[in-house]
Amino acid sequence: MMEIKGTTKITGVFGYPVKHSLSPVFQNSAFEYLGLDYVYIPFEVKPEDLKIATKSIKIFNMVGVNVTIPHKKEIIKYIDQLDEASEILEVVNTILNIEGKLKGYTTDGDGFLKSLKEEGNFDPKNKNIFILGAGGTSYAICGALIKGKVNYIFISNRTYENALKLKKHLNKRLNFKNVEIIPFEKRNEISIWKNIDILINTTSVGMKKNDPLLIERENIEKVKFVYDIVYNRKTELLKVAEEFKIQHLDGLSMLIYQGAISFEIWTRKKAPIEIMKKSLYDKIKKDG
Ligand code: ATR
């Protein structure tokens, strides 16, 4: 157990709810492992209190915080500057307090990319992507993949208009034209599957036990890599990937890597990824 002292530097997460957050587990083990005088605390912040909570980062002279659901967009109003990804995506998941000025970052996309390259040992350069979903996570992941120089992105989303918004965003803001929308009803029928390298699920489908498999087995079989951002259970999608011996990663990997980038922003030290991973897996095993 770490010792909290007068000098201890405070980090944490603002969320609502925040009780189930796994970040305190691996952030605190990382601090402890490196002997850093830091602590990571969950803060349950109601939406109506977000402004004053954000101000308290300065008042309490905290190092910074993570920001999670439902505050990722709203908090932008209350901070002083944004990094490039946050500005483009209009979301913030990490704040750094730089001598009383709050700077916002978004580490989800970079965390995704880094996990794919380092843990998955897979370089998305020149690859074709099929992505399910067009919510905030999909924006972050598409942005990172474009940074990673992918060839083509196919987007399929339950609500067509949301896919269209994402496509326009990638066309205009990121100047990336190789984007095509696959109507959700047609996702399994199209002939592109033989050309898809990476299949990514960014939807919440798979979190619940009886959730359907959105992509048919014979299509999954054709891809080279499967990434499912769901992390609370082994999804049907991941089970199929495993069965076909397709390389795959789950949301825990993205969770660790996005957290590792936040850790590095706050401490300027290299995050001990393996320690973070181990503490997280131990915790999950313990809780069943
Ligand atoms: P996040 O910011 O974590 O990505 P979000 O913005 O709520 O979360 O996005 C959730 C994504 O999952 C959306 O693409 C959503 O599709 P819609 O745009 O149609 O809402 C998708 N999604 C959620 N439940 C789904 C379901 N049962 N079937 C298919 N897609 C689903």
Side-chain angles (χ1 to χ4, degrees), residues 69 72 91 108 132-139 156-163 184 187 201-206 208 211-212 214 229:
I69 289 165
K72 286 185 180 191
V91 288
D108 287 338
L132 284 162
T137 312
S138 188
Y139 275 71
S156 194
N157 191 53
R158 182 179 58 181
T159 310
Y160 188 85
E161 293 77 65
N162 292 339
F184 201 60
R187 66 191 185 276
N201 174 46
T202 72
T203 75
S204 46
V205 178
K208 294 196 285 303
D211 280 350
L214 292 178
I229 63 141

Side-chain angles (χ1 to χ4, degrees), residues 8 10-11 19 53-55 59-60 66 84 87 93 122 129 134 143 149 194 204 235 238 240 275 277:
T8 303
I10 300 169
T11 66
K19 286 193 179 66
T54 308
K55 200 171 174 198
I59 295 171
F60 295 147
N66 280 138
E84 200 187 341
E87 182 156 2
N93 79 344
F122 200 87
I129 316 295
K149 302 206 168 1
K194 59 181 186 304
S204 46
T235 62
L238 290 174
V240 173
I275 297 297
K277 231 185 273 174

Side-chain angles (χ1 to χ4, degrees), residues 1-3 24-40 263 267 269-280:
M1 191 65 189
M2 59 178 53
E3 188 194 350
V25 175
F26 60 80
Q27 296 289 3
N28 284 317
S29 0
F31 294 146
E32 195 160 22
Y33 178 75
L34 293 181
L36 299 174
D37 188 17
Y38 281 67
V39 66
Y40 188 100
F263 178 97
T267 64
K269 298 253 187 311
K270 193 161 166 33
I273 291 274
E274 292 310 318
I275 297 297
M276 295 168 98
K277 231 185 273 174
K278 185 176 181 312
S279 66
L280 183 60

Side-chain angles (χ1 to χ4, degrees), residues 134-146:
T137 312
S138 188
Y139 275 71
I141 289 177
C142 286
L145 287 169
I146 291 168

